[in-house]
Amino acid sequence: MNFTPSEGWEARITSSFARQGLMTTMGAVIHPIAPGIVEIAVVPSPAISQQHGFVHGGAVSAIADTAAGYAAVSLMPSGTAALTTELKINFMAPAGGERIVARGEVVKAGRTLTGGQTNVFTETGGTRKLIALLIATIMTLEAKGDFSD
C-alpha cells in the first residue's frame, strides 16, 4: 500500500526505538523502515531462548508488536504516540535460524485506530521462512510530558 508518512517520522521512530530497554536487552535492531513498514530483527542467543533452544515466543511477540507499532507511528501525526490496544499472534514454526525478522505493516491507517500486521520469519542463508503472524490494533495517543513516541 501507499501511505503518506508524518513529518519527521524516521527520526521519531529511531529515537523512540533507542529508548526501548527491552529491545536493547534483546539485541534487536530496526532496519529497514519505510512509511507504513518497519522491520525489527534479533539474533538467536541463549538470553532470549526457551528450554529447547528456540527463541522464546515472548521475544518473538515483542519484536512483532514493536514492528507493527512503529509502522503505525510512521503514519501518525507529530506530537502523537502509539499504544497497542489488542493483538493476536499465531506461531507456525519454531523460531531458530541465524536471525528472526519481524516485518510490521500498516493494513489500515485511521485517525484514532490503526490496523497492523506483522509477519515473522526465521532467516538462514538469506532465505526466509514464515514462523508467526501477528495482527494488532494500535491506538493514537496525544504525547504528553515524558510519554512520547
Side-chain angles (χ1 to χ4, degrees):
M1 297 202 149
N2 251 347
F3 293 111
T4 303
S6 59
E7 185 177 331
W9 66 276
E10 288 179 277
R12 288 174 62 209
I13 290 171
T14 55
S15 170
S16 176
F17 186 80
R19 293 190 309 270
Q20 284 217 13
L22 180 60
M23 294 296 113
T24 301
T25 298
M26 290 179 20
V29 295
I30 186 169
H31 180 76
I33 61 174
I37 301 171
V38 168
E39 284 194 8
I40 296 175
V42 294
V43 173
S45 73
I48 59 172
S49 68
Q50 41 87 300
Q51 70 277 17
H52 302 294
F54 299 111
V55 174
H56 193 283
V60 172
S61 297
I63 64 169
D65 175 39
T66 303
Y70 281 126
V73 166
S74 73
L75 306 177
M76 292 177 178
S78 212
T80 61
L83 183 65
T84 300
T85 60
E86 177 268 341
L87 66 80
K88 178 185 186 322
I89 189 163
N90 291 324
F91 298 105
M92 295 173 265
E98 296 169 359
R99 284 190 340 148
I100 306 300
V101 180
R103 181 180 175 86
E105 298 188 41
V106 170
V107 176
K108 182 182 183 308
R111 186 173 31 91
T112 306
L113 296 175
T114 295
Q117 174 178 313
T118 302
N119 291 321
V120 184
F121 305 92
T122 182
E123 189 175 77
T124 303
T127 301
R128 287 184 173 182
K129 175 185 169 189
L130 185 66
I131 60 165
L133 172 66
L134 174 135
I135 298 175
T137 303
I138 300 130
M139 179 172 63
T140 305
L141 300 171
E142 181 180 337
K144 294 180 181 180
D146 289 340
F147 184 72
S148 59
D149 305 323

